[in-house]
Amino acid sequence: MLCHCHWQKDRKSLTLIIVHGLEGSSESQYMMGIARSGLAAGMNVVRMNQRNCGGMDHCAATLYNSSRSADVAAVARNLVEQDGIPGFVLVGFSMGGNLVLKLAGEWGGDGPAEFRAVAAVCPAINLSAGADALHEPTNRIYEYYFLLQLFRRFRRKVKLFPASFEASRLRGIKTLREFDDRVTAYYCGFKGADDYYDRAAAAHVIDRIVHPALVIHAVNDPFIRILPETRQALLSNPNITYIETTDGGHCAFFAEPDGDPAYDGRWAEREVVEFARQFR
């Protein structure tokens, strides 16, 4: 996994570890936005690419997916052991939001002593509902985009690792659920899409989060669905601050300038950094 590390002169500052969404990378706009704001606030920032992302397809015959919270844990552990960071906050967007919340729940009270908090923007924590939402007629343009990118990536993997992947598995796939059933689940150890969505969903462990957490979600997000029981679990956990806005779409929370020349109007990114400030 390729991580871009931005250090303060004193590396003993708080570190933000940021994780992108499906078919994103360390270059995604929200990743760069958090990096700029975090650095300006005096924090170290690590922009983490998930497996295969950021030009790393050639490095391993594996696929990234929404269950690989252990990858985020490995990055955090490496930063603690190799770079000596004294504290870190996990930040995730969309698919990355599911990963960081899943990890925080899995850790519970047994995570690294350096783990301070977690923040997630538009987290895909109900994966099955999100896949179904993507297939709604009004969202098909998003589904087509994701499938186009996933097909391209999988074909690259076939060329790089012909003994591990078969291009024929793409035949007839027209939905994200079908892709996850025939490709993601098949190559990542799940029985099928339903098994993958269920086992990878952070919704099952958010009640176990014991560190401070911030979750931001927009009611008008076109394809991220937070089910009623999951919303209740978020609201019932006293360690989680759950903010649900009327507007914001998917990771696009724009606000009017407030007179601060350093503020670019990207409200969610600023909220995350302000949340993290208290743990410096």
Side-chain angles (χ1 to χ4, degrees):
M1 291 172 287
L2 174 66
C3 295
H4 296 283
C5 303
H6 308 276
W7 301 111
Q8 299 289 340
K9 290 183 179 179
D10 179 8
R11 290 196 181 189
K12 298 302 181 182
S13 303
L14 182 73
T15 299
L16 302 181
I17 303 174
I18 326 170
V19 189
H20 61 80
L22 181 64
E23 283 306 292
S25 74
S26 57
E27 300 300 315
S28 295
Q29 195 169 42
Y30 49 78
M31 301 282 280
M32 301 300 290
I34 289 284
R36 287 192 298 270
S37 298
L39 285 168
M43 306 174 200
N44 303 315
V45 178
V46 174
R47 294 181 291 131
M48 172 186 162
N49 285 285
Q50 295 188 52
R51 295 192 191 202
N52 303 326
C53 301
M56 302 293 283
D57 286 294
H58 61 286
C59 289
T62 55
L63 302 177
Y64 78 107
N65 65 73
S66 290
S67 75
R68 294 195 185 279
S69 50
D71 284 1
V72 183
V75 168
R77 184 171 60 250
N78 182 274
L79 291 166
V80 169
E81 295 176 354
Q82 301 298 320
D83 295 288
I85 62 171
F88 65 87
V89 173
L90 298 175
V91 180
F93 288 79
S94 193
M95 176 184 179
N98 179 74
L99 285 167
V100 297
L101 291 174
K102 181 173 179 284
L103 179 57
E106 290 168 341
W107 274 344
D110 298 322
E114 296 80 7
F115 178 42
R116 299 286 182 264
V118 58
V121 178
C122 301
I125 54 180
N126 288 123
L127 292 164
S128 182
D132 291 340
L134 266 175
H135 196 57
E136 294 173 1
T138 54
N139 289 330
R140 290 307 303 278
I141 188 170
Y142 298 109
E143 186 171 45
Y144 288 145
Y145 169 77
F146 284 130
L147 286 175
L148 177 64
Q149 297 299 104
L150 289 166
F151 274 40
R152 285 175 175 170
R153 182 178 301 281
F154 186 70
R155 289 182 178 122
R156 286 198 298 272
K157 299 298 285 189
V158 171
K159 289 181 180 179
L160 290 164
F161 302 98
S164 300
F165 301 103
E166 298 177 21
S168 61
R169 298 204 67 82
L170 293 178
R171 291 174 186 163
I173 292 178
K174 297 180 180 179
T175 71
L176 181 64
R177 181 179 283 274
E178 289 174 347
F179 180 89
D180 284 335
D181 191 66
R182 297 192 59 190
V183 177
T184 308
Y186 180 80
Y187 288 110
C188 298
F190 299 97
K191 297 177 182 177
D194 289 339
D195 182 47
Y196 163 50
Y197 292 153
D198 182 60
R199 290 166 57 188
H204 295 313
V205 296
I206 53 178
D207 61 320
R208 292 159 48 189
I209 294 176
V210 300
H211 288 76
L214 172 67
V215 177
I216 298 175
H217 171 68
V219 173
N220 70 340
D221 190 308
F223 51 82
I224 297 298
R225 299 288 186 266
I226 294 184
L227 299 178
E229 57 270 28
T230 303
R231 181 179 285 103
Q232 186 57 46
L234 289 165
L235 294 170
S236 298
N237 187 329
N239 301 304
I240 298 175
T241 298
Y242 178 60
I243 300 176
E244 188 172 86
T245 66
T246 302
D247 196 14
H250 186 63
C251 300
F253 297 85
F254 295 106
E256 294 294 330
D258 61 359
D260 181 356
Y263 180 45
D264 60 4
R266 296 185 178 278
W267 175 81
E269 283 92 325
R270 184 173 72 169
E271 288 296 302
V272 167
V273 172
E274 288 301 312
F275 168 74
R277 278 180 186 270
Q278 62 189 300
F279 307 105
R280 288 185 300 180

